[in-house]
Amino acid sequence: NAGVTQTPKFRVLKTGQSMTLLCAQDMNHEYMYWYRQDPGMGLRLIHYSVGEGTTAKGEVPDGYNVSRLKKQNFLLGLESAAPSQTSVYFCASSYVAGGRNTGELFFGEGSRLTVL
Amino acid sequence: GIQVEQSPPDLILQEGANSTLRCNFSDSVNNLQWFHQNPWGQLINLFYIPSGTKQNGRLSATTVATERYSLLYISSSQTTDSGVYFCAVVGTDSWGKLQFGAGTQVVVTP
């Protein structure tokens, strides 16, 4: 099992460019998440999904869009990148047990994005 | 929302030393996890431990849910233990969103 895989691992963008980060998990997990990690700010939740075809906003959703067309994939899009979106992005997934989200997160390796 | 406090914020250890990291939380939880973020930035899941005690090699963790704290023990520390250790919890009234503590920065010197 690969677990949670993120692509690309590194990317440099110019202000105003767009891009998509792909997250794929092979554990058949229902929940998927996108976090950003900034120095001194810890991990902040951008968007999450409770299942295929559903998405919801987290703490810091502005400037990002997401889609979950397939259960195993969760895409994070930046339509018009800004320097404030320079960060390390982590995808994660979790499973349901007893009809409830366990919240046990499995993380990808992270994607470092720099916006110039 | 639920508050998560970790202590100490920083820890410097000599190789071979033992240490204890603490996580306090402000409300009842359904889940508690310990993560290690290594110097390369990878987040590694150490323990899923809403209550009780677990051990994995030189690491062990104990959560006392009724008293709202968890402890992570590192024994015979090695330089590869360096990094940031995060505690994260899911409150009982939450849909499953993890609330992270600020982390403990650990440096193990040879």
Side-chain angles (χ1 to χ4, degrees):
Chain A
N1 281 351
V4 180
T5 304
Q6 295 180 226
T7 53
K9 299 286 190 294
F10 302 93
R11 184 74 189 268
V12 178
L13 290 176
K14 293 181 181 178
T15 297
Q17 286 185 317
S18 63
M19 75 156 296
T20 300
L21 293 174
L22 170 63
C23 176
Q25 54 98 0
D26 61 2
M27 298 174 283
N28 202 35
H29 285 178
E30 290 80 4
Y31 282 70
M32 295 187 75
Y33 313 78
W34 276 107
Y35 285 87
R36 61 179 288 174
Q37 187 178 32
D38 303 291
M41 301 289 286
L43 281 142
R44 294 183 291 169
L45 182 63
I46 305 171
H47 286 280
Y48 65 97
S49 167
V50 304
E52 181 179 320
T54 72
T55 63
K57 294 180 180 180
E59 301 170 75
V60 288
D62 294 342
Y64 304 95
N65 57 75
V66 288
S67 65
R68 183 119 181 251
L69 299 179
K70 293 183 179 180
K71 186 177 184 179
Q72 63 267 34
N73 295 337
F74 194 29
L75 277 63
L76 178 71
L78 285 71
E79 289 187 349
S80 179
S84 61
Q85 293 178 303
T86 294
S87 187
V88 180
Y89 292 86
F90 286 95
C91 176
S93 68
S94 65
Y95 59 96
V96 169
R100 190 183 178 101
N101 181 19
T102 60
E104 182 178 5
L105 260 61
F106 295 80
F107 280 94
E109 293 189 341
S111 298
R112 185 174 296 277
L113 175 65
T114 301
V115 183
L116 303 175
Chain B
I2 194 165
Q3 304 299 311
V4 182
E5 292 184 359
Q6 291 186 242
S7 59
D10 301 281
L11 191 58
I12 299 176
L13 300 170
Q14 195 153 18
E15 203 167 20
N18 302 328
S19 64
T20 301
L21 282 58
R22 187 176 180 100
C23 172
N24 291 333
F25 42 95
S26 61
D27 208 342
S28 301
V29 299
N30 283 331
N31 172 25
L32 187 143
Q33 282 185 266
W34 282 98
F35 297 94
H36 175 216
Q37 186 163 37
N38 64 24
W40 295 270
Q42 291 177 309
L43 275 164
I44 298 159
N45 194 341
L46 296 176
F47 293 103
Y48 172 70
I49 185 167
S51 64
T53 297
K54 290 187 178 180
Q55 181 153 8
N56 184 2
R58 296 180 295 102
L59 300 180
S60 63
T62 295
T63 297
V64 184
T66 53
E67 297 188 20
R68 300 181 184 170
Y69 73 89
S70 182
L71 302 174
L72 178 69
Y73 305 96
I74 305 173
S75 64
S76 304
S77 57
Q78 300 177 357
T79 55
T80 52
D81 295 330
S82 296
V84 182
Y85 290 80
F86 289 102
C87 168
V89 303
V90 176
T92 54
D93 62 348
S94 166
W95 54 266
K97 175 183 177 293
L98 248 63
Q99 186 65 43
F100 283 83
T104 293
Q105 174 86 51
V106 173
V107 175
V108 181
T109 60

